[in-house]
Each structure stands twice: as structure tokens, then as C-alpha cells.
Amino acid sequence: MLSMDQYEALLEEIHKYMDPDKYCVGGKDYGIYNIYYDTPDDYLIRESIAKPYYKEKIRLRSYFSPAAPSDKVFLEIKKKVGGIVTKRRVTMTLQESEDYLLHRKKPVNMEKFIQKQIFSELDVFLAHYPVIPKQYISYQRTAFFGKEDKDFRLTFDRQLTERRYDLSLSHPSYGTQLISPDQRLMEVKIAGAMPLWLSQKLSELQIYKMSFSKYGTAYQRHIKTALYEADYMNKKKGSILHV
């Protein structure tokens, strides 16, 4: 988690070794909008927060907000095994995603072999977990790729917005903020060792690794709020009975 001073100082070094993502047109960030699916009792996120060796989650992602029924969206399965993250996704329209998630009706133009394979994986996942929409999360992202190593990627997210109502990508982005306006959430995505220049700069700026899950943070905030409200109502009820 970076302050604005840390972020701006790090950017000066990043531009020497990395190029902006093609979606960062004119140096601007871009929006990412997600609906996370979970079981009615929030099993998937509760398991994830417990930090097991293996965990998985499913989400629907759009790069438009609000998304129209004909806009392209991505249904993703994200898995983490021992610290290694993999993500597989299929592409369809928002309307097709609703038809599939509600009725298991697959898009008619599903021709690519890899699409069929991922749908098979999704079928197994959804047969095992009776998921429903549970969490909306959106954010603005700035991303960079290594000039020499295209697999090396840095992302910076701001304006992390969450809500647990109006759970459709057809609604605009609004809700509660997860981090302060002057903070940036950085992710380092690399298969091998971290470049020496980045390691040195992070040390110089006192930027340290931390665990942060957008969905997990939103869920824990939801639980704390629910517990606070329940405690308040119990105390209020007890006060009335006492009178």
C-alpha cells in the first residue's frame, strides 16, 4: 500500500524500465468493474481469508460501466496454490453471462477449444458451489509492462469501490471506498525474480509487502458493520427492557 509520495517517487524509476499498458491511453488509468460470486453463506471468501494452501474464487469482470447487455464481459476463475496465482477466463456478452450463470446456457458461438475447456471447468465449479452475486468491487488501474520482460507487470489501483447491493454490472460504479484517496494499491506480477532496480527502489522508499484482498477486505468490513449494528440493537433493546 503506497502513499502518494511513495507512488510518485516510484513512478520516476518505473518509466526508465517499463512501458504503460496499451489501455492507459495518454497516461490515464482505466476502470475495472467486478461482481464476485459466492455461496449464500459466503463460503468461498471465508475460506480465502483463512489462507489455505489452495483457494479459488469466481468473478464477472467488465471494462465498461455501466455495461450494456451486448457489451463484452469476462467470467473468470482465479486460483491460488501455495502462492502461485492462475487465472482462466471466457469471453461473452453481459446477457450471455447472465444466461449461463442462471440457466447454464452457453453462448452459441463458443468455437475455440480453450473456451470449451474453460467452460467445462466452470461447469464443475458451479455444480460444486451454488453461487450467487455477493459483492461488487471496482477500481481505476494504471499498469506497466517491462520493456525487456513482457511478463513482468506492475499495477496500481485507486478508488477501490465496494457494495453488497445492486449486484449487476449494468449499474454504475458507486459505493463505499476501501482505501483513502491518497493511497495506491500496487501489485507486482512476475514469474521469476524481481528486478534489482525495483528491489532497491522499494527498499529506498520503505515499501514493504503486505497481504491485501479487495474482496476479503470488503467482506470483513461488512461483517464488522453487521456485528456493530447487532450489538447496538441488543444494547438498545436491553435499555428499553430495563426502563
Side-chain angles (χ1 to χ4, degrees):
M1 191 69 71
L2 280 62
S3 67
M4 280 304 297
D5 288 341
Q6 290 173 318
Y7 173 62
E8 290 171 355
L10 184 58
L11 275 184
E12 295 179 5
E13 194 74 4
I14 286 174
H15 287 301
K16 300 177 185 178
Y17 301 94
M18 307 187 78
D19 292 322
D21 187 297
K22 64 180 180 180
Y23 297 108
C24 295
V25 181
K28 296 181 180 180
D29 51 18
Y30 58 93
I32 300 178
Y33 313 93
N34 307 278
I35 299 291
Y36 286 84
Y37 287 74
D38 210 326
T39 61
D41 63 352
D42 301 304
Y43 174 81
L44 293 174
I45 191 58
R46 289 189 290 106
E47 278 291 293
S48 179
I49 291 172
K51 300 186 183 303
Y53 182 77
Y54 172 83
K55 59 184 179 181
E56 55 189 345
K57 63 183 69 171
I58 184 170
R59 69 188 176 200
L60 188 65
R61 169 170 289 184
S62 173
Y63 296 96
F64 301 94
S65 181
S70 60
D71 281 336
K72 183 185 295 183
V73 297
F74 304 89
L75 184 59
E76 304 178 340
I77 288 185
K78 188 175 182 181
K79 300 182 180 182
K80 189 172 184 180
V81 183
I84 304 299
V85 177
T86 60
K87 183 173 68 175
R88 290 158 65 79
R89 68 184 190 178
V90 291
T91 307
M92 62 189 96
T93 66
L94 179 59
Q95 182 60 60
E96 288 172 337
S97 74
E98 293 174 352
D99 291 341
Y100 174 67
L101 288 164
L102 287 174
H103 310 295
R104 302 297 183 267
K105 180 183 177 182
K106 297 183 178 67
V108 294
N109 59 345
M110 189 181 62
E111 298 176 354
K112 294 182 179 179
F113 175 76
I114 188 64
Q115 291 275 89
K116 293 180 180 179
Q117 288 294 101
I118 299 174
F119 266 112
S120 296
E121 189 174 340
L122 284 165
D123 286 341
V124 172
F125 182 98
L126 294 172
H128 188 67
Y129 299 110
V131 299
I132 56 175
K134 295 303 293 279
Q135 180 74 56
Y136 174 92
I137 294 180
S138 69
Y139 39 93
Q140 298 297 121
R141 169 165 288 181
T142 302
F144 297 88
F145 288 88
K147 291 182 178 181
E148 297 181 0
D149 180 5
K150 297 302 181 182
D151 291 329
F152 171 42
R153 189 174 184 228
L154 289 180
T155 62
F156 298 91
D157 297 335
R158 68 176 182 88
Q159 203 172 318
L160 274 64
T161 304
E162 68 88 11
R163 65 175 187 257
R164 289 179 69 86
Y165 52 89
D166 291 345
L167 297 175
S168 171
L169 294 176
S170 63
H171 293 294
S173 176
Y174 55 87
T176 304
Q177 298 299 300
L178 286 175
I179 63 175
S180 301
D182 60 348
Q183 289 181 309
R184 297 293 183 272
L185 179 64
M186 179 180 74
E187 289 186 59
V188 181
K189 304 178 181 183
I190 190 169
M194 183 183 297
L196 183 59
W197 67 264
L198 179 59
S199 178
Q200 291 174 337
K201 198 64 179 178
L202 294 180
S203 177
E204 175 189 327
L205 295 173
Q206 298 183 322
I207 298 172
Y208 305 112
K209 181 180 179 181
M210 63 173 289
S211 175
F212 187 93
S213 162
K214 299 180 184 76
Y215 183 15
T217 301
Y219 174 72
Q220 288 174 314
R221 177 177 292 186
H222 163 69
I223 292 299
K224 288 179 181 178
T225 300
L227 290 173
Y228 174 82
E229 291 176 350
D231 183 59
Y232 173 78
M233 292 304 297
N234 286 334
K235 288 180 179 178
K236 186 176 181 180
K237 181 179 179 181
S239 176
I240 293 173
L241 290 174
H242 179 73
V243 172

